[in-house]
Amino acid sequence: MPPPDPVAPDLLERLVSLCKQRGFFFGSSEIYGGINALYDYGPLGARMRRNVRNLWWRAMVELRDDVEPIETSIIMNPQVWVASGHVATFTDPLVDCTGSCRKRWRADHLGDLRRERGKPEDAPGCPECGGRLTEARQFNLMFRTHLGPVADDAAQVYLRPETAQGMFVDFATVVQATRRRLPFGIAQQGKSFRNEISPSNSIFRTREFEQMEMEFFCKPGTDLDWHSYWCTERMRWWIEDCGVRAGRLRLRAHDEDELSHYSVATSDVEYLFPWGWGELEGIADRTDFDLRSHMEASGRDLSYFETETNERYVPYVVEPAAGLDRGFLTMLMDAYHEEEVRGEKRVVLRLHPDVSPWQVAVLPLSKKPQLTEVARSLEQRLRNRFRTEYDETQSIGRRYRRQDEIGTPLAITVDFDTLDDNAVTIRERDGMTQVRVPIDTLEQACEDQLVASRAAALDRARTAADQAGQSAQPQRQG
RNA sequence: GCGGGAGUAGCUCAGUGGUAGAGCAUUACCUUGCCAAGGUAAGGGUCGAGGGUUCGAACCCCUUCUCCCGCUCCA
């Protein structure tokens, strides 16, 4: 395994600061002092987050002929969570050390933790210091609430901790409605909620988050092949569609003793964060566990009849489940660069042009009416094709930097020559190069530049091991 | 819950008993006219909250609230 790339240790702090300042994301409810581990997405963040979500939708639904989308309710019949095992087992049993180290442990991991420290698995007390441990307390990670006006046990419901169960529960209905034959997938994006004991690392682990999940139903025996297929495809998506550098990504197969009770094979897509490798997506072969559980609990038949072979079976499921917020954070961190330009620090987000909040910024060289009028109407015109922003405040250099900082790949500048030659300059973010193009063909020129920008993003994602902290050579022309 | 860190301007922070500050950011005007430009001016702070000590508290003492980081959590 290659050594991990060096990562600036305070990168997260600088990025979080930038994100608040520029409106990507920030703590929720801040005027009331905030609330632990919950976040709001600001104007730029909401735009970018939607772009990421759309890229997934495009790749997983629109460009495929074997996936159907659904959107299921966040609150479901509570029996769903009994059948899925979440009521019984989606818990963290915790014990606290009352000895010298005062650490908190997972009660069900104590044996492993002791063994890692060279102690017998059944040794008494704290794995670290041997101190007395408290009784295990059970924390169910599901948020509870009540349905209807009476807050009694009968009305007890849960906020979903994963979107997946919606796909399982609706499997037969989707098959019926779409006349689908296996193999095919059901996909959905949506919020999930987990009352995490210890959320951490900004928006990486939060209690409210958005999942992008797809359950791919297939014939038993073909599941491992499909698992392999989806591992490849999902890695491709992170790198090629989102521009995340391959050198910072890895696909890690779970060890046998690490597998969930329902899975025979799971691989995680992981990114190298400043705090270590973190999971962006889990690709699990869930076998027929979920459908079978719901068949038993509901009494409904969720099996599938294969007409070609006259076989009836319960489908196996391969599930690629990605975290939108984690992907969002990953793309920001992966794109963040600081470099020296003419003795000044330049902060630039080398975001993929399909991810960046804006694609094209339209800037009059100065705030003279004859320039701003042209620039404003140009921006209006380009809106039909691109995500555009107009900015006329302050000096042109400052505005270029401001756009760099939020990852806008292209800036169009209207100058005094424009009034004579009917042409404008397009300035590109990464190389800071400029070309002059006639206004008549501006849409096509922008499109060409974005194609080039996508190619550059792809090239960087595939080949660049690590550019953090390195200075790119500034280039200039025109 | 435990341990650590931190709450002062939109952001980053300085200010350890004597009139609340800096840089950046924001707004307006002037100048300039292609890579974080110069000038002038303006706006913006119950110094997290409460109590105490003191002639006087951002600063000392007590209480409290909140956020951040870690405690290996599987999106």
PDB file of all heavy atoms in Angstrom, chain A residues 20 33 36 106 201 279 323 366 398 434, chain B residues 11 25 33-34 37 66-67 73-75:
ATOM      1  N   LYS A  20     -17.544  29.421   6.257  1.00  0.00           N
ATOM      2  CA  LYS A  20     -18.485  30.280   6.960  1.00  0.00           C
ATOM      3  C   LYS A  20     -18.500  31.678   6.342  1.00  0.00           C
ATOM      4  O   LYS A  20     -19.549  32.261   6.096  1.00  0.00           O
ATOM      5  CB  LYS A  20     -18.116  30.382   8.441  1.00  0.00           C
ATOM      6  CG  LYS A  20     -19.051  31.319   9.162  1.00  0.00           C
ATOM      7  CD  LYS A  20     -18.870  31.352  10.646  1.00  0.00           C
ATOM      8  CE  LYS A  20     -19.964  32.251  11.249  1.00  0.00           C
ATOM      9  NZ  LYS A  20     -19.813  32.451  12.676  1.00  0.00           N
ATOM     10  N   GLY A  33     -26.693  30.512  19.942  1.00  0.00           N
ATOM     11  CA  GLY A  33     -25.555  29.809  20.497  1.00  0.00           C
ATOM     12  C   GLY A  33     -25.242  28.512  19.780  1.00  0.00           C
ATOM     13  O   GLY A  33     -24.378  27.772  20.190  1.00  0.00           O
ATOM     14  N   ASN A  36     -25.172  21.539  18.828  1.00  0.00           N
ATOM     15  CA  ASN A  36     -24.061  20.630  18.608  1.00  0.00           C
ATOM     16  C   ASN A  36     -24.191  19.792  17.339  1.00  0.00           C
ATOM     17  O   ASN A  36     -25.174  19.077  17.148  1.00  0.00           O
ATOM     18  CB  ASN A  36     -23.957  19.706  19.835  1.00  0.00           C
ATOM     19  CG  ASN A  36     -22.787  18.777  19.720  1.00  0.00           C
ATOM     20  OD1 ASN A  36     -22.916  17.660  19.264  1.00  0.00           O
ATOM     21  ND2 ASN A  36     -21.623  19.245  20.091  1.00  0.00           N
ATOM     22  N   ARG A 106     -16.868   1.101  23.946  1.00  0.00           N
ATOM     23  CA  ARG A 106     -17.995   0.298  23.479  1.00  0.00           C
ATOM     24  C   ARG A 106     -17.929  -1.044  24.211  1.00  0.00           C
ATOM     25  O   ARG A 106     -16.942  -1.775  24.106  1.00  0.00           O
ATOM     26  CB  ARG A 106     -17.869   0.053  21.972  1.00  0.00           C
ATOM     27  CG  ARG A 106     -18.241   1.244  21.105  1.00  0.00           C
ATOM     28  CD  ARG A 106     -19.746   1.296  20.890  1.00  0.00           C
ATOM     29  NE  ARG A 106     -20.225   0.106  20.197  1.00  0.00           N
ATOM     30  CZ  ARG A 106     -20.327   0.005  18.874  1.00  0.00           C
ATOM     31  NH1 ARG A 106     -20.007   1.019  18.106  1.00  0.00           N
ATOM     32  NH2 ARG A 106     -20.772  -1.100  18.317  1.00  0.00           N
ATOM     33  N   ASN A 201     -15.693  16.149  13.515  1.00  0.00           N
ATOM     34  CA  ASN A 201     -15.098  16.580  12.266  1.00  0.00           C
ATOM     35  C   ASN A 201     -16.061  17.329  11.357  1.00  0.00           C
ATOM     36  O   ASN A 201     -16.336  16.928  10.234  1.00  0.00           O
ATOM     37  CB  ASN A 201     -14.497  15.395  11.515  1.00  0.00           C
ATOM     38  CG  ASN A 201     -13.303  14.821  12.233  1.00  0.00           C
ATOM     39  OD1 ASN A 201     -12.492  15.573  12.762  1.00  0.00           O
ATOM     40  ND2 ASN A 201     -13.211  13.510  12.298  1.00  0.00           N
ATOM     41  N   GLU A 279     -14.859   7.196   5.718  1.00  0.00           N
ATOM     42  CA  GLU A 279     -15.732   6.531   4.755  1.00  0.00           C
ATOM     43  C   GLU A 279     -16.664   7.515   4.054  1.00  0.00           C
ATOM     44  O   GLU A 279     -17.353   8.296   4.690  1.00  0.00           O
ATOM     45  CB  GLU A 279     -16.568   5.476   5.487  1.00  0.00           C
ATOM     46  CG  GLU A 279     -17.508   4.729   4.561  1.00  0.00           C
ATOM     47  CD  GLU A 279     -18.412   3.755   5.313  1.00  0.00           C
ATOM     48  OE1 GLU A 279     -18.179   3.517   6.504  1.00  0.00           O
ATOM     49  OE2 GLU A 279     -19.354   3.250   4.672  1.00  0.00           O
ATOM     50  N   GLY A 323     -22.700   9.161   1.348  1.00  0.00           N
ATOM     51  CA  GLY A 323     -23.098  10.307   2.152  1.00  0.00           C
ATOM     52  C   GLY A 323     -22.889  11.595   1.375  1.00  0.00           C
ATOM     53  O   GLY A 323     -21.779  11.917   0.990  1.00  0.00           O
ATOM     54  N   SER A 366     -14.617  47.946 -14.892  1.00  0.00           N
ATOM     55  CA  SER A 366     -14.856  48.941 -13.856  1.00  0.00           C
ATOM     56  C   SER A 366     -16.340  49.227 -13.787  1.00  0.00           C
ATOM     57  O   SER A 366     -17.112  48.784 -14.630  1.00  0.00           O
ATOM     58  CB  SER A 366     -14.088  50.230 -14.151  1.00  0.00           C
ATOM     59  OG  SER A 366     -14.803  51.027 -15.060  1.00  0.00           O
ATOM     60  N   ARG A 398      -9.211  41.822  -7.407  1.00  0.00           N
ATOM     61  CA  ARG A 398      -9.864  41.327  -6.209  1.00  0.00           C
ATOM     62  C   ARG A 398     -11.033  40.406  -6.559  1.00  0.00           C
ATOM     63  O   ARG A 398     -11.277  39.393  -5.900  1.00  0.00           O
ATOM     64  CB  ARG A 398     -10.366  42.515  -5.404  1.00  0.00           C
ATOM     65  CG  ARG A 398     -10.472  42.274  -3.938  1.00  0.00           C
ATOM     66  CD  ARG A 398     -10.788  43.570  -3.235  1.00  0.00           C
ATOM     67  NE  ARG A 398      -9.589  44.350  -2.978  1.00  0.00           N
ATOM     68  CZ  ARG A 398      -9.029  44.413  -1.767  1.00  0.00           C
ATOM     69  NH1 ARG A 398      -9.541  43.763  -0.774  1.00  0.00           N
ATOM     70  NH2 ARG A 398      -7.950  45.137  -1.585  1.00  0.00           N
ATOM     71  N   GLN A 434      -5.885  33.971 -20.085  1.00  0.00           N
ATOM     72  CA  GLN A 434      -6.999  34.700 -20.680  1.00  0.00           C
ATOM     73  C   GLN A 434      -7.033  34.527 -22.187  1.00  0.00           C
ATOM     74  O   GLN A 434      -5.997  34.444 -22.833  1.00  0.00           O
ATOM     75  CB  GLN A 434      -6.871  36.198 -20.371  1.00  0.00           C
ATOM     76  CG  GLN A 434      -7.052  36.500 -18.902  1.00  0.00           C
ATOM     77  CD  GLN A 434      -6.988  37.983 -18.617  1.00  0.00           C
ATOM     78  OE1 GLN A 434      -6.119  38.666 -19.128  1.00  0.00           O
ATOM     79  NE2 GLN A 434      -7.911  38.468 -17.806  1.00  0.00           N
TER      80      GLN A 434
ATOM     81  P     C B  11     -18.192  36.065  12.621  1.00  0.00           P
ATOM     82  OP1   C B  11     -18.679  34.714  12.934  1.00  0.00           O
ATOM     83  OP2   C B  11     -17.896  37.019  13.708  1.00  0.00           O
ATOM     84  O5'   C B  11     -16.899  35.915  11.722  1.00  0.00           O
ATOM     85  C5'   C B  11     -16.854  34.979  10.648  1.00  0.00           C
ATOM     86  C4'   C B  11     -15.498  35.024  10.000  1.00  0.00           C
ATOM     87  O4'   C B  11     -15.284  36.334   9.430  1.00  0.00           O
ATOM     88  C3'   C B  11     -14.324  34.843  10.955  1.00  0.00           C
ATOM     89  O3'   C B  11     -14.042  33.480  11.185  1.00  0.00           O
ATOM     90  C2'   C B  11     -13.197  35.555  10.228  1.00  0.00           C
ATOM     91  O2'   C B  11     -12.663  34.749   9.198  1.00  0.00           O
ATOM     92  C1'   C B  11     -13.938  36.734   9.592  1.00  0.00           C
ATOM     93  N1    C B  11     -13.909  37.951  10.409  1.00  0.00           N
ATOM     94  C2    C B  11     -12.720  38.700  10.470  1.00  0.00           C
ATOM     95  O2    C B  11     -11.732  38.290   9.853  1.00  0.00           O
ATOM     96  N3    C B  11     -12.697  39.838  11.193  1.00  0.00           N
ATOM     97  C4    C B  11     -13.785  40.248  11.830  1.00  0.00           C
ATOM     98  N4    C B  11     -13.705  41.386  12.534  1.00  0.00           N
ATOM     99  C5    C B  11     -14.996  39.503  11.807  1.00  0.00           C
ATOM    100  C6    C B  11     -15.012  38.369  11.095  1.00  0.00           C
ATOM    101  P     A B  25     -10.087  43.425   2.095  1.00  0.00           P
ATOM    102  OP1   A B  25      -9.985  43.004   0.685  1.00  0.00           O
ATOM    103  OP2   A B  25      -9.915  44.836   2.461  1.00  0.00           O
ATOM    104  O5'   A B  25     -11.488  42.925   2.680  1.00  0.00           O
ATOM    105  C5'   A B  25     -11.984  41.629   2.363  1.00  0.00           C
ATOM    106  C4'   A B  25     -13.310  41.406   3.030  1.00  0.00           C
ATOM    107  O4'   A B  25     -13.163  41.549   4.468  1.00  0.00           O
ATOM    108  C3'   A B  25     -14.407  42.399   2.678  1.00  0.00           C
ATOM    109  O3'   A B  25     -15.031  42.092   1.450  1.00  0.00           O
ATOM    110  C2'   A B  25     -15.348  42.269   3.873  1.00  0.00           C
ATOM    111  O2'   A B  25     -16.115  41.090   3.780  1.00  0.00           O
ATOM    112  C1'   A B  25     -14.342  42.114   5.021  1.00  0.00           C
ATOM    113  N9    A B  25     -14.011  43.420   5.597  1.00  0.00           N
ATOM    114  C8    A B  25     -12.839  44.122   5.470  1.00  0.00           C
ATOM    115  N7    A B  25     -12.845  45.278   6.099  1.00  0.00           N
ATOM    116  C5    A B  25     -14.101  45.338   6.673  1.00  0.00           C
ATOM    117  C6    A B  25     -14.729  46.306   7.470  1.00  0.00           C
ATOM    118  N6    A B  25     -14.161  47.448   7.839  1.00  0.00           N
ATOM    119  N1    A B  25     -15.987  46.056   7.876  1.00  0.00           N
ATOM    120  C2    A B  25     -16.573  44.917   7.508  1.00  0.00           C
ATOM    121  N3    A B  25     -16.087  43.921   6.764  1.00  0.00           N
ATOM    122  C4    A B  25     -14.830  44.202   6.377  1.00  0.00           C
ATOM    123  P     G B  33      -5.346  54.372 -15.874  1.00  0.00           P
ATOM    124  OP1   G B  33      -4.047  54.519 -16.537  1.00  0.00           O
ATOM    125  OP2   G B  33      -6.495  55.225 -16.256  1.00  0.00           O
ATOM    126  O5'   G B  33      -5.802  52.858 -16.002  1.00  0.00           O
ATOM    127  C5'   G B  33      -4.976  51.809 -15.501  1.00  0.00           C
ATOM    128  C4'   G B  33      -5.801  50.561 -15.346  1.00  0.00           C
ATOM    129  O4'   G B  33      -7.010  50.899 -14.649  1.00  0.00           O
ATOM    130  C3'   G B  33      -6.237  49.945 -16.678  1.00  0.00           C
ATOM    131  O3'   G B  33      -6.391  48.558 -16.503  1.00  0.00           O
ATOM    132  C2'   G B  33      -7.605  50.547 -16.891  1.00  0.00           C
ATOM    133  O2'   G B  33      -8.443  49.758 -17.695  1.00  0.00           O
ATOM    134  C1'   G B  33      -8.120  50.597 -15.453  1.00  0.00           C
ATOM    135  N9    G B  33      -9.152  51.612 -15.264  1.00  0.00           N
ATOM    136  C8    G B  33      -9.219  52.870 -15.798  1.00  0.00           C
ATOM    137  N7    G B  33     -10.280  53.516 -15.449  1.00  0.00           N
ATOM    138  C5    G B  33     -10.972  52.638 -14.630  1.00  0.00           C
ATOM    139  C6    G B  33     -12.193  52.775 -13.965  1.00  0.00           C
ATOM    140  O6    G B  33     -12.953  53.728 -13.949  1.00  0.00           O
ATOM    141  N1    G B  33     -12.528  51.633 -13.235  1.00  0.00           N
ATOM    142  C2    G B  33     -11.759  50.509 -13.190  1.00  0.00           C
ATOM    143  N2    G B  33     -12.229  49.517 -12.435  1.00  0.00           N
ATOM    144  N3    G B  33     -10.604  50.364 -13.811  1.00  0.00           N
ATOM    145  C4    G B  33     -10.278  51.453 -14.514  1.00  0.00           C
ATOM    146  P     C B  34      -5.211  47.603 -16.974  1.00  0.00           P
ATOM    147  OP1   C B  34      -4.006  48.037 -16.255  1.00  0.00           O
ATOM    148  OP2   C B  34      -5.221  47.508 -18.444  1.00  0.00           O
ATOM    149  O5'   C B  34      -5.694  46.210 -16.400  1.00  0.00           O
ATOM    150  C5'   C B  34      -5.883  46.038 -15.004  1.00  0.00           C
ATOM    151  C4'   C B  34      -5.817  44.564 -14.679  1.00  0.00           C
ATOM    152  O4'   C B  34      -7.025  43.927 -15.175  1.00  0.00           O
ATOM    153  C3'   C B  34      -4.643  43.838 -15.336  1.00  0.00           C
ATOM    154  O3'   C B  34      -4.229  42.791 -14.480  1.00  0.00           O
ATOM    155  C2'   C B  34      -5.255  43.248 -16.601  1.00  0.00           C
ATOM    156  O2'   C B  34      -4.605  42.095 -17.056  1.00  0.00           O
ATOM    157  C1'   C B  34      -6.685  42.918 -16.102  1.00  0.00           C
ATOM    158  N1    C B  34      -7.683  42.940 -17.175  1.00  0.00           N
ATOM    159  C2    C B  34      -8.349  41.752 -17.489  1.00  0.00           C
ATOM    160  O2    C B  34      -8.087  40.727 -16.862  1.00  0.00           O
ATOM    161  N3    C B  34      -9.269  41.767 -18.464  1.00  0.00           N
ATOM    162  C4    C B  34      -9.540  42.897 -19.134  1.00  0.00           C
ATOM    163  N4    C B  34     -10.455  42.862 -20.090  1.00  0.00           N
ATOM    164  C5    C B  34      -8.869  44.119 -18.826  1.00  0.00           C
ATOM    165  C6    C B  34      -7.949  44.097 -17.855  1.00  0.00           C
ATOM    166  P     A B  37      -6.275  44.652  -4.462  1.00  0.00           P
ATOM    167  OP1   A B  37      -7.132  45.542  -3.661  1.00  0.00           O
ATOM    168  OP2   A B  37      -6.638  44.317  -5.858  1.00  0.00           O
ATOM    169  O5'   A B  37      -4.788  45.159  -4.603  1.00  0.00           O
ATOM    170  C5'   A B  37      -4.149  46.001  -3.728  1.00  0.00           C
ATOM    171  C4'   A B  37      -3.681  47.243  -4.431  1.00  0.00           C
ATOM    172  O4'   A B  37      -4.328  47.422  -5.731  1.00  0.00           O
ATOM    173  C3'   A B  37      -4.041  48.509  -3.692  1.00  0.00           C
ATOM    174  O3'   A B  37      -3.185  48.720  -2.590  1.00  0.00           O
ATOM    175  C2'   A B  37      -3.912  49.559  -4.798  1.00  0.00           C
ATOM    176  O2'   A B  37      -2.564  49.837  -5.056  1.00  0.00           O
ATOM    177  C1'   A B  37      -4.501  48.795  -5.987  1.00  0.00           C
ATOM    178  N9    A B  37      -5.929  49.094  -6.138  1.00  0.00           N
ATOM    179  C8    A B  37      -6.993  48.233  -6.029  1.00  0.00           C
ATOM    180  N7    A B  37      -8.156  48.801  -6.209  1.00  0.00           N
ATOM    181  C5    A B  37      -7.833  50.128  -6.455  1.00  0.00           C
ATOM    182  C6    A B  37      -8.615  51.254  -6.734  1.00  0.00           C
ATOM    183  N6    A B  37      -9.924  51.236  -6.817  1.00  0.00           N
ATOM    184  N1    A B  37      -7.979  52.420  -6.933  1.00  0.00           N
ATOM    185  C2    A B  37      -6.654  52.451  -6.852  1.00  0.00           C
ATOM    186  N3    A B  37      -5.802  51.455  -6.599  1.00  0.00           N
ATOM    187  C4    A B  37      -6.467  50.315  -6.415  1.00  0.00           C
ATOM    188  P     U B  66     -26.033  24.233  27.180  1.00  0.00           P
ATOM    189  OP1   U B  66     -27.219  23.559  26.624  1.00  0.00           O
ATOM    190  OP2   U B  66     -25.067  23.485  28.021  1.00  0.00           O
ATOM    191  O5'   U B  66     -25.216  24.883  25.989  1.00  0.00           O
ATOM    192  C5'   U B  66     -25.870  25.740  25.061  1.00  0.00           C
ATOM    193  C4'   U B  66     -24.856  26.394  24.160  1.00  0.00           C
ATOM    194  O4'   U B  66     -23.983  27.253  24.935  1.00  0.00           O
ATOM    195  C3'   U B  66     -23.893  25.452  23.458  1.00  0.00           C
ATOM    196  O3'   U B  66     -24.490  24.821  22.346  1.00  0.00           O
ATOM    197  C2'   U B  66     -22.764  26.403  23.076  1.00  0.00           C
ATOM    198  O2'   U B  66     -23.132  27.203  21.975  1.00  0.00           O
ATOM    199  C1'   U B  66     -22.702  27.302  24.322  1.00  0.00           C
ATOM    200  N1    U B  66     -21.680  26.844  25.287  1.00  0.00           N
ATOM    201  C2    U B  66     -20.366  27.206  25.041  1.00  0.00           C
ATOM    202  O2    U B  66     -20.046  27.861  24.067  1.00  0.00           O
ATOM    203  N3    U B  66     -19.455  26.767  25.967  1.00  0.00           N
ATOM    204  C4    U B  66     -19.715  26.023  27.085  1.00  0.00           C
ATOM    205  O4    U B  66     -18.784  25.706  27.824  1.00  0.00           O
ATOM    206  C5    U B  66     -21.091  25.675  27.279  1.00  0.00           C
ATOM    207  C6    U B  66     -22.013  26.092  26.390  1.00  0.00           C
ATOM    208  P     C B  67     -23.938  23.402  21.874  1.00  0.00           P
ATOM    209  OP1   C B  67     -24.958  22.829  20.982  1.00  0.00           O
ATOM    210  OP2   C B  67     -23.466  22.623  23.034  1.00  0.00           O
ATOM    211  O5'   C B  67     -22.670  23.810  21.017  1.00  0.00           O
ATOM    212  C5'   C B  67     -22.812  24.659  19.884  1.00  0.00           C
ATOM    213  C4'   C B  67     -21.469  25.188  19.469  1.00  0.00           C
ATOM    214  O4'   C B  67     -20.872  25.922  20.563  1.00  0.00           O
ATOM    215  C3'   C B  67     -20.423  24.131  19.146  1.00  0.00           C
ATOM    216  O3'   C B  67     -20.574  23.634  17.833  1.00  0.00           O
ATOM    217  C2'   C B  67     -19.122  24.897  19.338  1.00  0.00           C
ATOM    218  O2'   C B  67     -18.883  25.749  18.231  1.00  0.00           O
ATOM    219  C1'   C B  67     -19.467  25.760  20.545  1.00  0.00           C
ATOM    220  N1    C B  67     -19.043  25.146  21.831  1.00  0.00           N
ATOM    221  C2    C B  67     -17.704  25.250  22.218  1.00  0.00           C
ATOM    222  O2    C B  67     -16.912  25.838  21.475  1.00  0.00           O
ATOM    223  N3    C B  67     -17.305  24.717  23.405  1.00  0.00           N
ATOM    224  C4    C B  67     -18.198  24.093  24.179  1.00  0.00           C
ATOM    225  N4    C B  67     -17.766  23.580  25.325  1.00  0.00           N
ATOM    226  C5    C B  67     -19.566  23.959  23.799  1.00  0.00           C
ATOM    227  C6    C B  67     -19.939  24.496  22.630  1.00  0.00           C
ATOM    228  P     C B  73     -16.315   2.086  17.331  1.00  0.00           P
ATOM    229  OP1   C B  73     -16.744   2.331  18.711  1.00  0.00           O
ATOM    230  OP2   C B  73     -15.544   0.894  17.010  1.00  0.00           O
ATOM    231  O5'   C B  73     -17.579   2.111  16.357  1.00  0.00           O
ATOM    232  C5'   C B  73     -18.791   2.678  16.861  1.00  0.00           C
ATOM    233  C4'   C B  73     -19.087   3.991  16.193  1.00  0.00           C
ATOM    234  O4'   C B  73     -17.923   4.827  16.261  1.00  0.00           O
ATOM    235  C3'   C B  73     -19.402   3.968  14.710  1.00  0.00           C
ATOM    236  O3'   C B  73     -20.761   3.646  14.509  1.00  0.00           O
ATOM    237  C2'   C B  73     -19.083   5.388  14.253  1.00  0.00           C
ATOM    238  O2'   C B  73     -20.228   6.199  14.309  1.00  0.00           O
ATOM    239  C1'   C B  73     -18.088   5.864  15.333  1.00  0.00           C
ATOM    240  N1    C B  73     -16.790   6.284  14.779  1.00  0.00           N
ATOM    241  C2    C B  73     -16.382   7.606  15.040  1.00  0.00           C
ATOM    242  O2    C B  73     -17.110   8.341  15.698  1.00  0.00           O
ATOM    243  N3    C B  73     -15.200   8.022  14.566  1.00  0.00           N
ATOM    244  C4    C B  73     -14.433   7.213  13.854  1.00  0.00           C
ATOM    245  N4    C B  73     -13.275   7.673  13.430  1.00  0.00           N
ATOM    246  C5    C B  73     -14.834   5.860  13.565  1.00  0.00           C
ATOM    247  C6    C B  73     -16.011   5.453  14.041  1.00  0.00           C
ATOM    248  P     C B  74     -21.081   2.585  13.432  1.00  0.00           P
ATOM    249  OP1   C B  74     -22.040   1.621  14.023  1.00  0.00           O
ATOM    250  OP2   C B  74     -19.832   2.107  12.825  1.00  0.00           O
ATOM    251  O5'   C B  74     -21.879   3.486  12.445  1.00  0.00           O
ATOM    252  C5'   C B  74     -22.239   3.042  11.163  1.00  0.00           C
ATOM    253  C4'   C B  74     -21.150   3.303  10.136  1.00  0.00           C
ATOM    254  O4'   C B  74     -19.931   2.659  10.571  1.00  0.00           O
ATOM    255  C3'   C B  74     -21.453   2.676   8.793  1.00  0.00           C
ATOM    256  O3'   C B  74     -22.174   3.553   7.975  1.00  0.00           O
ATOM    257  C2'   C B  74     -20.085   2.372   8.258  1.00  0.00           C
ATOM    258  O2'   C B  74     -19.478   3.502   7.692  1.00  0.00           O
ATOM    259  C1'   C B  74     -19.332   1.980   9.523  1.00  0.00           C
ATOM    260  N1    C B  74     -19.466   0.530   9.797  1.00  0.00           N
ATOM    261  C2    C B  74     -18.414  -0.337   9.489  1.00  0.00           C
ATOM    262  O2    C B  74     -17.400   0.131   8.985  1.00  0.00           O
ATOM    263  N3    C B  74     -18.541  -1.664   9.748  1.00  0.00           N
ATOM    264  C4    C B  74     -19.669  -2.131  10.286  1.00  0.00           C
ATOM    265  N4    C B  74     -19.756  -3.425  10.510  1.00  0.00           N
ATOM    266  C5    C B  74     -20.749  -1.274  10.599  1.00  0.00           C
ATOM    267  C6    C B  74     -20.616   0.027  10.347  1.00  0.00           C
ATOM    268  P     A B  75     -23.491   3.088   7.356  1.00  0.00           P
ATOM    269  OP1   A B  75     -24.627   3.182   8.290  1.00  0.00           O
ATOM    270  OP2   A B  75     -23.153   1.804   6.722  1.00  0.00           O
ATOM    271  O5'   A B  75     -23.634   4.264   6.323  1.00  0.00           O
ATOM    272  C5'   A B  75     -23.978   4.132   4.988  1.00  0.00           C
ATOM    273  C4'   A B  75     -23.479   5.417   4.344  1.00  0.00           C
ATOM    274  O4'   A B  75     -24.155   6.531   4.973  1.00  0.00           O
ATOM    275  C3'   A B  75     -22.010   5.673   4.588  1.00  0.00           C
ATOM    276  O3'   A B  75     -21.217   5.047   3.610  1.00  0.00           O
ATOM    277  C2'   A B  75     -21.930   7.199   4.540  1.00  0.00           C
ATOM    278  O2'   A B  75     -21.856   7.649   3.216  1.00  0.00           O
ATOM    279  C1'   A B  75     -23.268   7.611   5.150  1.00  0.00           C
ATOM    280  N9    A B  75     -23.152   7.904   6.584  1.00  0.00           N
ATOM    281  C8    A B  75     -23.058   7.022   7.621  1.00  0.00           C
ATOM    282  N7    A B  75     -22.996   7.599   8.796  1.00  0.00           N
ATOM    283  C5    A B  75     -23.054   8.952   8.512  1.00  0.00           C
ATOM    284  C6    A B  75     -23.032  10.102   9.331  1.00  0.00           C
ATOM    285  N6    A B  75     -22.950  10.059  10.663  1.00  0.00           N
ATOM    286  N1    A B  75     -23.104  11.307   8.727  1.00  0.00           N
ATOM    287  C2    A B  75     -23.194  11.344   7.391  1.00  0.00           C
ATOM    288  N3    A B  75     -23.223  10.329   6.511  1.00  0.00           N
ATOM    289  C4    A B  75     -23.154   9.150   7.149  1.00  0.00           C
TER     290        A B  75
END
